[in-house]
Amino acid sequence: MAAMQRYSIFSLLRGALSGHRDWQPAWRAPEPKSSYDVVIVGGGGHGLAAAYYLARNHGITNVAVLERGWIGGGNTGRNTTIVRSNYLLPENQRFYEHSLKLWEGLSRDLNYNVMFSPRGVINVFHTDAQRDYWIRRHNGMRYAGIDAELLTRADLARLVPALDLSPGIRHPIVGGVIQPRGGVARHDAVAWGYARAADALGVDIIQDCEVTGIDVEAGRVTGLQTSRGPIGAGRVGLAVAGHSSRLAEMAGIRLPIETHLLTATVSEPVKPFMDKVVSVAAAHVYVSQTDKGEVLIGGTLDGYNSWSQRGSPARLEDILSAACEYFPRISRLRQLRHWAGVMDMSMDGSPIIAKLPVEGLAMTGGWCYGGFKATPASGWCLAWTLANDAPHALNAPFSLERFRTGAVLDENGAGPVAWGH
Amino acid sequence: MLLIPCPFCGDRDETEFAYGGEAGNERPADPGAATDEAWTDYLCFHDNPKGPHRELWFHRDGCRRWLTVERDTWTHELRSARLSRP
Ligand SMILES: Cc1cc2nc3c(=O)[nH]c(=O)nc-3n(C[C@H](O)[C@H](O)[C@H](O)COP(=O)(O)OP(=O)(O)OC[C@H]3O[C@@H](n4cnc5c(N)ncnc54)[C@H](O)[C@@H]3O)c2cc1C
Ligand SMILES: [Zn+2]
């Protein structure tokens, strides 16, 4: 295996002088071997991160990542890229703060620019009750050592001039909160950066390889059936986001997860006018401006089980009308695209990063709306769990058993309604 | 946009309805007597097929009846809709 070609100003200069003819591919395209110590199913950010941390943190390099399409083509490439750790429950705070710290060093760690931009994530609210809730949540964060600040309307006017703060709108804004260290990252670069770094440590990344069956003998996983033939595996990690219940079913396991659609849309690019991420509580809509200048708008679920990856026009209308209400200046922008991704909605709104009731099988899933920000820590914890055959303290609370014992992590207090979180 | 064929009101937009989840997932008749296992299955462990799904819809802005609908969760084909309770 050739050593990884490191990227730097010097490699760029060398590339320029040689007419950019001798760049190496960022990762190999190997044929699958007959077996691996660990196989990860799903080449999204989570699966690729898990493979990278298995190799780097645990020295387990005889690893493959199997992806049925192309890497990063799932929700990694469909999400609105918001990264934050502004949670209320201590278990979530610890996990997402660990993730945010990994984000902060990620470009350097991977020698790949993931364009993490900690520009600040703002939530605005409209009523006294919402204000109390957000203050409580952000006070909780401060107790846990996580950055959090309360914003007045004057602060909001200064930080986000595009926001309509007038009292005449349907749900006027009375204030907000900010996590200054939150922000956005370049989604594709996260998949590519992890893939390149994992490949350099010996991991085989195998695209166009759909897993169609999980072999279990005497309660233990032994391998996988795939569209490219059977592949033996000592241990298997599932990281397939919206498809978690289908993969678990292949091993005879039922999960407390339903699959729902989440829609997002982007406008044509315009000059920079907003450098914060803003979520509006009244409408469940969140808006940011991408580095390309597009206005990126995300919304809420279609509200019924779906695998169609299309998104309901009714929901798109809700999202756009809410965005235009709070950001009137975008109302005449043309929308370039809208799309939807299949969300693995868990019954308490929190993920499952755990060993499954088949020996050697573990998963990360149940990410609901929010798994992009979790990418580094999800991969880190899945790698730990597979390497040690036991969860790390950070992911021990995210077990499958919690739904039976009652130790659920229901951040929003919405109860066991998959589309309610 | 789904057009749900309500037996009373005809084909109506999904926006008139509230979704009620998987059909046939009956609440244990005597919750006190249900085992923890049965109770958790009822609350948390539901079918999640990529394909035909039997599910409940409430015609909130119409006849205000609960419907049992068979819909394909992948193609969105609506196969049937009938009153959940006649
Ligand atoms: C519109 C939208 C907006 C979002 N916004 C945010 C946000 O702002 N912030 C945030 O934190 N999160 C957000 N999310 C959630 C986030 O995108 C996901 O939780 C996260 O990307 C899931 O993990 P992943 O990246 O590994 O998934 P994916 O990229 O979906 O990877 C899973 C992979 O598994 C593969 N796979 C599935 N079945 C098989 C099989 N049988 N065999 C082989 N491979 C298989 C798929 O092809 C896919 O590539 C959003 C999601 C959507 C859809
Ligand atoms: Zn009706």
Side-chain angles (χ1 to χ4, degrees):
Chain A
M1 191 179 42
M4 181 172 85
Q5 189 178 34
R6 288 189 68 81
Y7 296 153
S8 68
I9 184 72
F10 304 107
S11 70
L12 194 61
L13 282 174
R14 256 197 317 277
L17 292 175
S18 60
H20 294 296
R21 273 186 304 268
D22 52 6
W23 289 104
Q24 290 169 12
W27 55 86
R28 300 160 297 132
E31 283 302 310
K33 293 194 262 181
S34 62
S35 77
Y36 292 90
D37 293 344
V38 181
V39 175
I40 304 287
V41 185
H46 291 212
L48 294 163
Y52 169 69
Y53 292 116
L54 271 170
R56 199 202 65 175
N57 293 356
H58 306 284
I60 301 173
T61 56
N62 185 20
V63 174
V65 178
L66 310 184
E67 165 55 48
R68 72 171 177 177
W70 62 92
I71 60 168
N75 285 350
T76 299
R78 291 169 178 259
N79 81 95
T80 49
T81 75
I82 302 170
V83 174
R84 56 187 173 84
S85 62
N86 58 351
Y87 282 81
L88 178 66
L89 300 179
E91 295 84 353
N92 281 331
Q93 287 173 341
R94 278 193 291 272
F95 174 82
Y96 286 106
E97 182 60 14
H98 180 66
S99 205
L100 186 53
K101 293 206 166 107
L102 290 170
W103 276 110
E104 288 169 340
L106 198 57
S107 292
R108 183 179 298 252
D109 189 8
L110 299 178
N111 178 237
Y112 201 93
N113 189 358
V114 300
M115 298 170 76
F116 175 55
S117 163
R119 57 183 62 184
V121 172
I122 292 176
N123 288 79
V124 299
F125 43 75
H126 318 269
T127 65
D128 287 350
Q130 285 176 347
R131 186 169 181 275
D132 290 349
Y133 166 78
W134 280 105
I135 290 177
R136 175 168 172 246
R137 179 156 157 179
H138 277 234
N139 276 340
M141 290 162 62
R142 292 176 73 117
Y143 274 126
I146 302 170
D147 61 320
E149 283 161 37
L150 184 62
L151 301 175
T152 62
R153 280 158 45 93
D155 295 331
L156 285 169
R158 181 172 47 79
L159 293 172
V160 195
L163 191 60
D164 188 348
L165 292 162
S166 62
I169 60 176
R170 177 72 183 84
H171 296 288
I173 293 168
V174 301
V177 285
I178 185 169
Q179 181 178 24
R181 285 160 61 238
V184 292
R186 169 97 165 89
H187 48 13
D188 293 325
V190 175
W192 299 336
Y194 272 120
R196 172 171 169 270
D199 174 275
L201 294 171
V203 171
D204 282 359
I205 292 160
I206 299 164
Q207 308 187 69
D208 269 322
C209 182
E210 176 166 8
V211 172
T212 53
I214 298 179
D215 301 332
V216 178
E217 277 167 35
R220 193 176 173 94
V221 68
T222 55
L224 299 161
Q225 298 298 318
T226 82
S227 57
R228 295 176 67 171
I231 299 176
R235 287 185 185 159
V236 172
L238 306 178
V240 291
H243 287 78
S244 295
S245 30
R246 284 176 67 78
L247 269 292
E249 205 180 289
M250 292 177 194
I253 298 164
R254 218 166 141 82
L255 295 179
I257 287 179
E258 289 179 21
T259 298
H260 288 257
L261 289 188
L262 183 65
T263 293
T265 171
V266 286
S267 74
E268 59 189 324
V270 289
K271 281 188 188 167
F273 70 94
M274 183 162 85
D275 63 359
K276 298 277 178 280
V277 179
V278 181
S279 287
V280 180
H284 209 295
V285 67
Y286 31 95
V287 181
S288 64
Q289 191 175 18
T290 69
D291 292 334
K292 284 184 277 184
E294 304 152 326
V295 181
L296 174 60
I297 308 171
T300 184
L301 299 176
D302 277 8
Y304 44 85
N305 297 47
S306 177
W307 300 76
S308 75
Q309 289 193 315
R310 283 199 299 273
S312 161
R315 189 56 82 220
L316 182 63
E317 190 176 350
D318 289 350
I319 296 167
L320 288 173
S321 53
C324 292
E325 170 94 344
Y326 291 98
F327 299 90
R329 73 172 64 180
I330 68 173
S331 66
R332 274 173 296 166
L333 292 183
R334 277 164 294 213
Q335 294 303 302
L336 292 188
R337 295 187 296 285
H338 97 275
W339 65 90
V342 289
M343 317 297 309
D344 32 341
M345 299 301 296
S346 73
M347 285 296 164
D348 64 356
S350 295
I352 299 163
I353 322 169
K355 286 177 52 168
L356 292 175
V358 163
E359 276 307 305
L361 187 63
M363 72 172 281
T364 178
W367 286 102
C368 304
Y369 305 94
F372 179 70
K373 62 180 174 296
T375 303
S378 165
W380 194 97
C381 287
L382 182 62
W384 175 286
T385 305
L386 286 165
N388 296 292
D389 200 23
H392 187 271
L394 281 171
N395 66 309
F398 301 107
S399 69
L400 182 56
E401 289 74 39
R402 74 179 187 270
F403 297 92
R404 301 224 172 260
T405 61
V408 292
L409 296 163
D410 191 344
E411 183 81 21
N412 295 331
V417 180
W419 60 98
H421 295 282
Chain B
M1 179 88 74
L2 301 180
L3 274 184
I4 298 175
C6 174
F8 268 140
C9 315
D11 286 347
R12 306 299 304 172
D13 271 4
E14 68 180 71
T15 53
E16 293 184 5
F17 294 81
Y19 183 61
E22 185 187 23
N25 179 32
E26 294 291 332
R27 188 171 193 272
D30 178 0
T35 60
D36 287 357
E37 193 79 5
W39 190 245
T40 313
D41 283 340
Y42 162 69
L43 287 176
C44 295
F45 289 79
H46 305 155
D47 285 347
N48 185 27
K50 184 174 185 173
H53 187 225
R54 282 183 61 242
E55 57 196 28
L56 298 171
W57 288 85
F58 177 57
H59 199 178
R60 184 191 54 216
D61 302 340
C63 58
R64 300 188 65 78
R65 302 290 297 266
W66 280 96
L67 310 181
T68 301
V69 174
E70 199 185 37
R71 179 180 59 97
D72 189 305
T73 61
W74 194 11
T75 63
H76 283 179
E77 180 196 354
L78 281 144
R79 300 189 171 185
S80 68
R82 56 178 179 75
L83 296 180
S84 298
R85 291 208 179 79

